Amino acid sequence: GDQVEQSPSALSLHEGTGSALRCNFTTTMRAVQWFQQNSRGSLINLFYLASGTKENGRLKSTFNSKESYSTLHIRDAQLEDSGTYFCAANNNAGAKLTFGGGTRLTVRP
Amino acid sequence: ETAVFQTPNYHVTQVGNEVSFNCKQTLGHDTMYWYKQDSKKLLKIMFSYNNKQLIVNETVPRRFSPQSSDKAHLNLRIKSVEPEDSAVYLCASSWRGYYAEQFFGPGTRLTVL
């Protein structure tokens, strides 16, 4: 079945630094979403992309359907960015989302 | 407030009992979903409904049954819960279509003793 491979599974950053998360897709995906799951367990929508790049504050995301990957860049990380980040994508067959395994981000002072 | 609402937040029960979870969305969407997040935080689709019609039914044990009264409500009933049903159940909604952003509720955490 469809798979979404997310990396890294865990990431530790110092405040003010940045990094990138990546999702690779085993099949052609039509759109991708990125979420942050906070300490209460709520999934917060960060980005929705059918193609190209979007930026929102310190976050930037890219989706390349042809090469089957998406990235989420975080710059100038803050303590409140800590949490688990998920990518999820839907394929040609329907609207259900297939989720990556998540990246647990810890931002340290 | 427009959002996806779930009740209860938590539920603790014993093996063999029946439980029901409620989900309501006020976003005006026509499609709703149930996802399960296990103890390793893996998220998987269970069901989706479009205008009260079942459109996705993944390989889910038969003790799980979704119930939709209208396009704004999608409940989940579990008959005779098992220990492996302990998880967080997340409800979501969107417009139907390939290019449709999904929005999630806060989840219901089920613990089966």
Side-chain angles (χ1 to χ4, degrees):
Chain A
D2 303 328
Q3 288 200 3
V4 178
E5 299 158 354
Q6 185 171 345
S7 62
S9 57
L11 179 62
S12 181
L13 294 175
H14 285 291
E15 267 187 302
T17 64
S19 189
L21 285 56
R22 183 177 174 109
C23 283
N24 293 323
F25 311 116
T26 58
T27 58
T28 300
M29 296 296 187
R30 286 181 177 262
V32 66
Q33 290 188 238
W34 283 91
F35 300 91
Q36 180 195 26
Q37 190 165 40
N38 62 19
S39 56
R40 291 190 303 272
S42 295
L43 281 173
I44 299 164
N45 289 43
L46 298 177
F47 292 103
Y48 172 82
L49 298 107
S51 66
T53 298
K54 287 187 178 179
E55 196 163 350
N56 184 5
R58 296 178 291 102
L59 301 178
K60 182 170 78 173
S61 181
T62 296
F63 175 42
N64 188 321
S65 176
K66 263 190 176 179
E67 297 186 17
S68 296
Y69 75 89
S70 178
T71 56
L72 176 69
H73 290 259
I74 302 173
R75 63 175 174 81
D76 188 24
Q78 302 297 305
L79 296 176
E80 61 264 27
D81 294 334
S82 293
T84 303
Y85 290 76
F86 291 96
C87 67
N90 71 287
N91 63 11
N92 291 309
K96 65 172 187 179
L97 288 175
T98 302
F99 278 80
T103 297
R104 181 173 290 184
L105 173 65
T106 304
V107 180
R108 305 183 190 281
Chain B
E1 184 188 1
T2 53
V4 182
F5 302 93
Q6 289 185 243
T7 56
N9 295 328
Y10 305 94
H11 189 79
V12 181
T13 191
Q14 295 192 326
V15 170
N17 285 349
E18 178 175 313
V19 298
S20 275
F21 304 144
N22 300 314
C23 180
K24 168 187 163 182
Q25 56 94 5
T26 58
L27 295 163
H29 292 152
D30 60 2
T31 305
M32 296 183 71
Y33 312 81
W34 279 108
Y35 290 84
K36 179 181 179 181
Q37 186 171 35
D38 64 20
S39 58
K40 295 181 181 175
K41 290 208 165 184
L42 297 175
L43 275 146
K44 286 192 174 174
I45 183 76
M46 298 175 70
F47 302 101
S48 75
Y49 269 72
N50 172 254
N51 279 322
K52 302 197 305 181
Q53 298 291 321
L54 180 67
I55 54 172
V56 170
N57 183 355
E58 293 294 294
T59 307
V60 174
R62 291 171 73 173
R63 60 181 180 277
F64 288 83
S65 58
Q67 298 163 324
S68 177
S69 57
D70 56 55
K71 67 177 187 176
H73 295 84
L74 182 63
N75 299 332
L76 183 66
R77 186 179 74 161
I78 315 173
K79 277 176 70 173
S80 190
V81 295
E82 303 275 343
E84 61 264 30
D85 299 337
S86 293
V88 176
Y89 293 87
L90 289 153
C91 177
S93 75
S94 74
W95 292 108
R96 183 164 190 187
Y98 294 130
Y99 301 104
E101 186 175 3
Q102 292 187 23
F103 294 85
F104 283 77
T108 294
R109 181 178 295 276
L110 173 66
T111 302
V112 181
L113 302 175

